[in-house]
Amino acid sequence: MHLYLHVPFCARRCSYCDFAIAVRREVPSRRFVDQLLREWRGWAATDRFPPAAPLATIYLGGGTPSLLDPAELARLLAALRADRPLAAGAELTLEANPDDVTPAVAAAWAAAGITRVSLGVQSFDPAVLTWMHRTHAAAQVPGSVRALRAAGITNLSLDLIYALPEALGRDWAADLDRALELAPDHLSLYGLTVESQTPLGRWVARGAALPPPEERYAAEFLAARERLTAAGFRHYEVSNYGRPGREAVHNSAYWRRAPYLGLGPSAHSAVGAHRWWNRREYAAWGAALEAGATSVEAEERLEPEAVRVEDLYLGLRTDGGVEEGSLPGSLVQLWAHHGWARAAGGRVCLTGEGWLRLDALVAQAAAIPHPGVTDLS
Ligand code: SF4
């Protein structure tokens, strides 16, 4: 069983962010952990997740989970472990902002059982961080990494954002070099997208910012792929690079369509073709739980054809690809001809050029009905 916990609190909203967050000066850690545990116990009492299934991964995402009081985080993890055993070698990830990491906090996280930290670095350029409304300074990142390693949390991932507006003059190669100097185990690279309900969306709407041209997105995606694979990383998913053996276990479960339970506002869950998601706003989610009502906003059961398309989408995101038989041979040949895919050993995998066209290629494959539909219902 894989468990995702959404911690919605942030000190302020980053300029590009449209996640379900709650901006708070003071984080109500105790109340929030009580709400999460109430939600957890509601699910634990159902038969949707076999009671004996151990927790293979726990992922605290957000929001900013590193804003939670470390003592409350420890209480949360201890309560979950008291209800369900952890699998051997379980991966417990915490997303953290560099300015929240101190030696004492890192030690508390390690003592609570956190085995992996994903640091929201985004850039090492101070002007870019200011433009992004990030709360940390670039100079804080090396100290955060040192504190985590000294505390025994040695499985470290760094997040960076690429394809920024040209006017910022961001040096992507320099940022990749700075990241590699810190010898991370894993890197997640996300291309900037402009969402209308964000400060960036409003800047773009009134002409105060220009999104980057598509060529910049492609050039930086391919430059990172070249640089990081040459440095020994495996580009194992379109946005993720890991040293061999350090690929994210939790996220890989999503791409394999393994069952997972999401707790917290806006969290999604899935078991086979059945999926459901929580109320998005923190206040509504918490109020529902405290009133003894459901925190779930809606649910759906995917039709077999939708499962097929999702399998294609998830499989093609990864370097494991999909079974060759799940795609028409003529389409595979076309993709290979353009250099977008490779077929070998009975699998079809996208190349870097193919990943740049992932959505379009999946749409192309989805438009061709195929007999190999799986019925998971
Ligand atoms: S810290 Fe993360 S979740 Fe919070 S506003 Fe910034 S990008 Fe969004």
Side-chain angles (χ1 to χ4, degrees):
M1 178 176 180
H2 301 275
L3 189 58
Y4 173 77
L5 307 172
H6 187 79
V7 183
F9 309 109
C10 289
R12 63 175 183 236
R13 186 176 284 277
C14 297
S15 58
Y16 52 85
C17 178
D18 77 333
F19 293 159
I21 66 161
V23 175
R24 293 287 184 281
R25 198 184 294 263
E26 295 291 329
V27 171
S29 295
R30 181 164 192 81
R31 185 174 181 188
F32 178 69
V33 167
D34 285 343
Q35 291 164 331
L36 271 185
L37 287 174
R38 187 181 280 230
E39 189 177 33
W40 159 253
R41 292 193 173 121
W43 284 111
T46 69
D47 58 3
R48 211 167 281 183
F49 296 91
L55 291 167
T57 63
I58 301 177
Y59 190 103
L60 289 119
T64 314
S66 53
L67 287 177
L68 268 187
D69 176 350
E72 289 299 322
L73 173 68
R75 181 168 74 92
L76 170 64
L77 294 177
L80 295 172
R81 295 161 77 157
D83 285 351
R84 291 249 169 170
L86 286 184
E91 178 191 270
L92 273 67
T93 303
L94 180 92
E95 288 181 355
N97 276 349
D99 44 333
D100 294 330
V101 185
T102 64
V105 164
W109 291 343
I114 295 298
T115 62
R116 181 173 183 271
V117 164
S118 172
L119 266 188
V121 174
Q122 317 313 357
S123 174
F124 291 91
D125 181 329
V128 168
L129 292 176
T130 302
W131 178 84
M132 288 178 170
H133 293 176
R134 299 293 301 184
T135 55
H136 72 277
Q140 289 175 303
V141 177
S144 308
V145 167
R146 274 196 303 276
L148 290 164
R149 289 193 173 128
I153 303 176
T154 56
N155 191 353
L156 295 183
S157 181
L158 306 181
D159 278 10
L160 295 174
I161 298 182
Y162 63 96
L164 300 180
E166 305 250 13
L168 288 171
R170 191 271 194 94
D171 185 339
W172 178 227
D175 266 0
L176 286 174
D177 286 344
R178 293 285 305 277
L180 288 175
E181 282 165 16
L182 297 171
D185 305 273
H186 189 277
L187 285 150
S188 296
L189 311 182
Y190 300 107
L192 182 77
T193 53
V194 180
E195 307 293 344
S196 58
Q197 299 304 316
T198 61
L200 173 60
R202 289 188 284 276
W203 299 341
V204 169
R206 65 167 194 262
L210 268 184
E214 245 176 62
E215 307 80 66
R216 186 179 182 103
Y217 182 100
E220 293 191 351
F221 175 86
L222 294 172
R225 177 176 164 84
E226 192 176 331
R227 179 80 181 86
L228 297 181
T229 52
F233 285 84
R234 176 177 157 215
H235 192 182
Y236 69 101
E237 193 267 347
V238 61
S239 303
N240 287 286
Y241 294 80
R243 295 218 175 267
R246 291 297 209 184
E247 298 85 359
V249 180
H250 182 86
N251 297 51
S252 299
Y254 297 149
W255 304 320
R256 279 200 328 274
R257 290 173 49 80
Y260 62 91
L261 174 63
L263 305 178
S266 81
H268 283 57
S269 307
V271 178
H274 189 189
R275 57 177 58 183
W276 61 97
W277 52 95
N278 281 352
R279 294 167 194 263
R280 182 176 165 90
E281 299 306 325
Y282 167 59
W285 169 85
L289 284 165
E290 289 177 350
T294 178
S295 48
V296 173
E297 183 174 277
E299 59 186 317
E300 66 181 356
R301 183 171 284 280
L302 295 185
E303 295 299 324
E305 175 59 14
V307 170
R308 177 182 83 89
V309 173
E310 190 176 84
D311 278 344
L312 286 175
Y313 182 70
L314 295 176
L316 289 172
R317 296 181 70 87
T318 70
D319 66 351
V322 296
E323 274 181 33
E324 198 165 351
S326 63
L327 291 167
S330 55
L331 192 64
V332 175
Q333 276 176 11
L334 179 75
W335 290 358
H337 171 75
H338 286 291
W340 299 335
R342 260 191 311 269
R347 313 283 302 173
V348 177
C349 308
L350 295 189
T351 60
E353 291 284 350
W355 271 339
L356 282 170
R357 297 164 176 81
L358 175 66
D359 290 348
L361 297 187
V362 173
Q364 213 175 32
I368 304 171
H370 201 65
V373 170
T374 330
D375 188 348
L376 292 180
S377 54

